[in-house]
Amino acid sequence: MADTDTVLYDVTDGLATVTLNRPEAMNALNVTAKEALRDSLRRAAGDSQVRAVLLTGRGRAFCVGQDLKEHTAALAEEDDAMRTVALHYNPVVSAITGMRKPVVAAVNGVAAGAGFGFALAADYRVVASSASFSTAFAGIALTADSGLSWTLQRFVGPGRAADLLLFPRKIDAAEAERLGIAQRVVPDDELPETAREIARTLAAGPTRAYAAIKESLAFAAGHPLTETLEVEAGLQSEAGATADHRAAVAAFAEKERPRFRGA
């Protein structure tokens, strides 16, 4: 497998599928994979033909985070190994959360460290029943990155987030669903089709309304109700002016199913 194949990118019917493709390394992230993932997500974000994104991994892992072999070499060379957070991990998370279209994570196996962070950055997580999550960082004397200190406590609460970061452990799919980390858990063999079906549904939906929903949720997470109400009002005005909204109202009046064009 060539390094250029560490991340696969495909666009079909408005859905961009981004697949981490280092199965022999459990999709551990070397520099090549990190750059390819960052660039693929930015490509999807900027492509007006893409209306939803499906992020997954090939093999038995979603992503186990940093490639520690490469990291060990960087430490031995006294390189600034941690600059990868600013160069790669932060831009990946920002691309997922900032793109004005929904992102579905199909978690097919282990999601650890940065892989866990990428999954939590997505808007919807479909998880295979054999998959698991782990924060991992403290086990190698590191702190959280890839947004986990922000996202994790919003899903599970500050106390439990501190517990999971201070004492990393395996969170199986059933517990992930109970904690609200996984929106849906399915048998392993059903994951690819179920995730594609969910992502295709979003790709056929009102893209600009989804963008407004993402923006309002992100804003509300860090602002009081009074400010959130103002932002909601502005975003609702924008959504109300879209062709999709007018078409949906007309379809409702005619007792028909609306067909959204993302405009």
Side-chain angles (χ1 to χ4, degrees), residues 82-158:
M82 293 298 101
R83 66 182 177 177
T84 190
V85 174
L87 290 176
H88 306 117
Y89 294 130
N90 289 354
V92 166
V93 172
S94 294
I96 294 170
T97 58
M99 72 170 70
R100 295 183 60 78
K101 53 199 75 174
V103 179
V104 175
V107 183
N108 53 299
V110 180
F116 191 3
F118 298 164
L120 286 186
D123 302 296
Y124 197 94
R125 281 157 298 285
V126 191
V127 178
S129 58
S130 68
S132 63
F133 300 86
S134 174
T135 56
F137 296 103
I140 53 172
L142 288 176
T143 183
D145 63 32
S146 304
L148 267 173
S149 61
W150 192 91
T151 53
L152 186 59
Q153 64 178 308
R154 283 164 172 77
F155 284 103
V156 305

Side-chain angles (χ1 to χ4, degrees), residues 77-237:
E77 295 170 4
E78 297 186 353
D79 192 9
D80 182 6
M82 293 298 101
R83 66 182 177 177
T84 190
V85 174
L87 290 176
H88 306 117
Y89 294 130
N90 289 354
V92 166
V93 172
S94 294
I96 294 170
T97 58
M99 72 170 70
R100 295 183 60 78
K101 53 199 75 174
V103 179
V104 175
V107 183
N108 53 299
V110 180
F116 191 3
F118 298 164
L120 286 186
D123 302 296
Y124 197 94
R125 281 157 298 285
V126 191
V127 178
S129 58
S130 68
S132 63
F133 300 86
S134 174
T135 56
F137 296 103
I140 53 172
L142 288 176
T143 183
D145 63 32
S146 304
L148 267 173
S149 61
W150 192 91
T151 53
L152 186 59
Q153 64 178 308
R154 283 164 172 77
F155 284 103
V156 305
R160 189 173 280 117
D163 177 43
L164 292 173
L165 286 165
L166 292 169
F167 304 100
R169 61 176 176 80
K170 176 181 176 181
I171 305 166
D172 64 24
E175 183 179 7
E177 188 172 32
R178 289 195 301 272
L179 293 174
I181 291 169
Q183 279 108 323
R184 187 166 175 183
V185 174
V186 298
D188 289 13
D189 60 350
E190 295 179 15
L191 178 71
E193 183 53 36
T194 300
R196 280 195 296 270
E197 181 181 349
I198 291 170
R200 283 195 295 258
T201 298
L202 291 169
T207 311
R208 290 176 63 182
Y210 293 151
I213 289 168
K214 287 186 67 164
E215 185 175 341
S216 62
L217 285 171
F219 184 88
H223 294 82
L225 176 61
T226 51
E227 294 179 26
T228 300
L229 290 171
E230 292 180 10
V231 168
E232 284 184 343
L235 291 170
Q236 193 69 294
S237 292

